[in-house]
Amino acid sequence: MNLNIAQKVNISKMINYKIQKQTRNNTSSFARMCNFAEIIFFVMHFRIFKLILILSVLAISSYAQNSISGNLSQLKSQTIRLVGFNGFGIYTLDSTQVNEQGDFKLTFSDKDLGMGYITAADNKPYFVVLAKEQIQIKGEVLSAADGIVILTGNENIAFVNYAKEHAKREQALSAWDYLQKIYLGDALFLSQKTAQASILSEIQRIKKQDAAFLTNLPASSYVTWYLPVRKLISSVSVVAQYKTEEIPATIAAFRSINYADSRLYKSGLLRDALESHYWLLENRGLALDTIFKDMNVSTDVLLKSVSKNESLYNEITKYLFDYFEKHSLFQSAEYLALKALSQKTIPLNSNLSKQLETYRIMKIGNIAPDILFTGDIVKNGSAINSPTRLSELSSKYKVVIFGASWCTACSEEMAQLLPLYKKWNAKGIEVVFVSMDTDKKTFLEYSSVMPFISTCDYKKWDTQAAKDYYVSSSPTIYLLGKNNEIILRPRLVKAIDAWVDYNMK
């Protein structure tokens, strides 16, 4: 098609116009798309920012700072500490210096809620409830608790009021209980029915008043849980001596405690709850076989309550095991050890497992591993070449003691043993001391006064004999027979001496 110049120019203009129009349309669409993307971007980022803000608030609130403040007029310029409880231990929450006017402020977070105490240089504690409240106190010194006034803090006010009132009620109850026993047990007063009824009525009134105080506290408050548990623990000695009819109910109350409860872990009562529980079982005046059976029942209940908390299971098992051994409750220690070792759900830490294995692999009746005397072997301070192993001893009985110069308890036991050795040896008992010292000079000086075999390879806990005998603490003592059969695993030298006096007359 042939076009003249004018026609070509018109077509060119039309094409350019359409291109420019399309470009404007595309640009407009692109702009609209950009604006929409910006809106979406803004909304998304606003939501993310909002989420971050919420999470930040939650994180801050979980570590919210609660405080104890006030005035201690006699502690000006002194440092005071706020201490909290973690199971069997304590830790410092905060410390501050009281100013020249006696004012102070201590803070703690929500993770510290429970019981705690404030202490100054004299280390005398003033106990406080670490609740989600601003606590204010006023007094002179922390050691004079009666002179401190709680200005604000409802849980602390309730705690102090109950402590004061309960003590008075307990004194009154003791007096009325004494009178009741006289009026019901003495022929001179048996006919005084009116007096007997009045005494009983007053006893019931006091108990009802004490219970009403606890009932009227808010159900969610920490002291509502804490005060009955503390009351239970403090009642044990009185129940054991004067209210024996209440022993079954008291034992049942201890068994009903949830030992996995975080409130107990932060209360400072965990140790007391365990020891009071087993002390009452031990001192209820029953036959030993019955006592050990009851202890085993309590151990079953206790371990079940912490069976879903690995850390707490290990912590309580170790503490209870040490308690049994310290109090020579070896049957209870063996039952606990075998139960903990046989369960499959909770991993035991290595040190605890080693301790417990002494009642499975190294239990009474088993044959103890032979001990090769490596390193230095001395007797009466002089080196000897034989025997080279435990099995070479011809004595009827052998006492093997694992210890070290750095162990204070070992030195105490050695001081008990040295005067007894001559008597034991005359009855056919030989002693072997396996040292876990790491310095030759120290070992030789320490063992120089020992009239029996002492050996050391300077490897401390890596000493092969210590590994073979599952030694995890010192001193560790075994009484073995001629063929290394385990006869006794005493904690103290005097326990062996008692065995010698009883069995080798």
Side-chain angles (χ1 to χ4, degrees):
M1 180 172 61
N2 295 322
L3 298 175
N4 58 34
I5 294 175
Q7 287 175 323
K8 290 180 180 180
V9 169
N10 288 334
I11 291 173
S12 176
K13 286 181 179 180
M14 287 176 62
I15 292 172
N16 288 335
Y17 173 76
K18 288 185 177 183
I19 291 174
Q20 289 175 8
K21 184 176 180 181
Q22 185 64 43
T23 300
R24 283 195 299 272
N25 289 340
N26 290 342
T27 301
S28 178
S29 298
F30 179 74
R32 285 196 299 270
M33 289 174 64
C34 288
N35 290 338
F36 181 72
E38 287 175 1
I39 292 170
I40 295 296
F41 181 81
F42 175 78
V43 170
M44 289 176 65
H45 277 67
F46 178 76
R47 287 178 177 175
I48 293 171
F49 174 77
K50 187 176 179 182
L51 178 61
I52 292 172
L53 184 62
I54 292 170
L55 292 174
S56 300
V57 170
L58 289 174
I60 292 170
S61 64
S62 66
Y63 291 92
Q65 294 297 306
N66 309 292
S67 68
I68 303 174
S69 60
N71 186 278
L72 297 167
S73 59
Q74 298 299 313
L75 294 181
K76 297 174 182 178
S77 302
Q78 292 191 34
T79 298
I80 59 174
R81 291 189 306 135
L82 178 61
V83 179
F85 296 99
N86 262 343
F88 302 108
I90 60 173
Y91 66 108
T92 299
L93 280 65
D94 194 13
S95 64
T96 191
Q97 188 175 46
V98 181
N99 69 18
E100 291 295 331
Q101 290 73 44
D103 298 327
F104 73 92
K105 184 176 182 179
L106 296 160
T107 62
F108 58 96
S109 65
D110 286 357
K111 65 184 178 68
D112 303 313
L113 299 182
M115 291 299 296
Y117 62 86
I118 310 171
T119 184
D122 60 5
N123 289 323
K124 293 183 178 179
Y126 178 78
F127 287 92
V128 289
V129 184
L130 303 178
K132 297 179 73 171
E133 57 185 20
Q134 302 303 312
I135 306 158
Q136 284 188 310
I137 67 173
K138 184 177 182 181
E140 295 181 348
V141 291
L142 294 166
S143 56
D146 290 342
I148 294 180
V149 178
I150 308 292
L151 301 176
T152 62
N154 292 333
E155 295 222 36
N156 280 274
I157 291 171
F159 172 67
V160 170
N161 287 344
Y162 182 79
K164 291 178 179 178
E165 294 175 6
H166 179 69
K168 294 177 183 177
R169 284 192 285 267
E170 285 297 302
Q171 290 176 345
L173 278 174
S174 296
W176 286 115
D177 285 339
Y178 176 74
L179 285 174
Q180 187 180 50
K181 288 178 181 178
I182 292 176
Y183 272 79
L184 294 176
D186 194 316
L188 184 64
F189 302 101
L190 278 174
S191 61
Q192 304 300 312
K193 303 300 181 184
T194 302
Q196 291 171 13
S198 297
I199 292 170
L200 179 61
S201 176
E202 180 59 9
I203 289 173
Q204 292 173 339
R205 186 196 68 80
I206 293 172
K207 289 183 176 180
K208 186 177 180 180
Q209 187 183 53
D210 194 79
F213 185 100
L214 298 174
T215 303
N216 291 330
L217 292 172
S220 60
S221 70
Y222 186 81
V223 289
T224 301
W225 171 88
Y226 177 85
L227 291 174
V229 176
R230 194 182 75 160
K231 180 182 177 182
L232 171 66
I233 293 169
S234 63
S235 72
V236 165
S237 60
V238 174
V239 168
Q241 295 179 65
Y242 306 112
K243 300 180 179 180
T244 54
E245 71 281 358
E246 296 182 14
I247 288 178
T250 304
I251 291 172
F254 275 112
R255 288 175 178 168
S256 69
I257 293 174
N258 177 11
Y259 289 87
D261 193 328
S262 60
R263 294 173 298 185
L264 178 61
Y265 197 75
K266 303 294 290 186
S267 69
L269 296 178
L270 181 57
R271 176 186 286 103
D272 293 334
L274 291 174
E275 294 191 1
S276 297
H277 183 169
Y278 285 92
W279 182 90
L280 183 58
L281 290 169
E282 184 183 1
N283 292 277
R284 58 188 305 197
L286 300 178
L288 276 177
D289 286 347
T290 302
I291 288 172
F292 285 125
K293 285 179 182 177
D294 285 345
M295 286 187 172
N296 293 346
V297 171
S298 289
T299 297
D300 288 342
V301 171
L302 196 153
L303 292 185
K304 184 178 180 181
S305 73
V306 296
S307 61
K308 295 182 179 179
N309 187 322
E310 178 182 330
S311 174
L312 190 57
Y313 187 97
N314 276 271
E315 197 172 348
I316 285 182
T317 300
K318 175 170 175 47
Y319 187 86
L320 204 53
F321 181 81
D322 290 342
Y323 174 85
F324 289 152
E325 290 231 306
K326 181 180 178 181
H327 292 83
S328 300
L329 299 168
F330 299 118
Q331 289 188 41
S332 295
E334 180 177 355
Y335 181 85
L336 172 65
L338 296 179
K339 185 172 183 66
L341 288 168
S342 63
Q343 57 82 34
K344 304 298 182 184
T345 56
I346 298 286
L348 300 177
N349 68 54
S350 58
N351 286 337
L352 176 59
S353 181
K354 186 186 293 185
Q355 278 187 289
L356 301 183
E357 285 290 0
T358 60
Y359 280 96
R360 182 161 68 179
I361 295 176
M362 299 297 294
K363 71 178 182 177
I364 292 173
N366 284 7
I367 301 299
D370 201 4
I371 298 176
L372 181 65
F373 301 150
T374 57
D376 288 316
I377 315 169
V378 297
K379 186 175 182 178
N380 287 313
S382 299
I384 59 174
N385 295 320
S386 64
T388 59
R389 60 179 64 242
L390 184 66
S391 57
E392 292 177 7
L393 294 177
S394 59
S395 56
K396 189 175 181 181
Y397 297 100
K398 309 159 193 175
V399 173
V400 180
I401 302 177
F402 293 88
S405 63
W406 41 260
C407 166
T408 304
C410 298
S411 297
E412 292 172 356
E413 292 306 302
M414 283 300 170
Q416 297 276 337
L417 169 59
L418 291 175
L420 297 171
Y421 175 69
K422 188 175 181 180
K423 178 182 83 171
W424 290 5
N425 196 241
K427 292 179 180 290
I429 300 175
E430 189 51 84
V431 175
V432 173
F433 175 65
V434 181
S435 172
M436 292 182 289
D437 278 295
T438 55
D439 178 73
K440 182 170 183 174
K441 182 181 178 181
T442 302
F443 162 67
L444 294 176
E445 288 178 355
Y446 187 70
S447 61
S448 63
V449 297
M450 298 178 184
F452 41 79
I453 295 170
S454 300
T455 179
C456 186
D457 64 4
Y458 311 106
K459 295 180 181 179
K460 205 172 184 178
W461 301 108
D462 288 328
T463 295
Q464 189 59 48
K467 289 181 177 179
D468 291 343
Y469 278 62
Y470 290 88
V471 175
S472 59
S473 62
S474 58
T476 293
I477 308 172
Y478 286 91
L479 173 63
L480 308 179
K482 183 178 179 63
N483 297 314
N484 287 5
E485 63 272 21
I486 301 170
I487 296 172
L488 203 63
R489 272 200 69 252
R491 190 177 181 88
L492 304 172
V493 164
K494 61 183 179 182
I496 296 182
D497 195 49
W499 184 90
V500 170
D501 289 342
Y502 184 80
N503 292 280
M504 304 182 72
K505 295 179 181 179

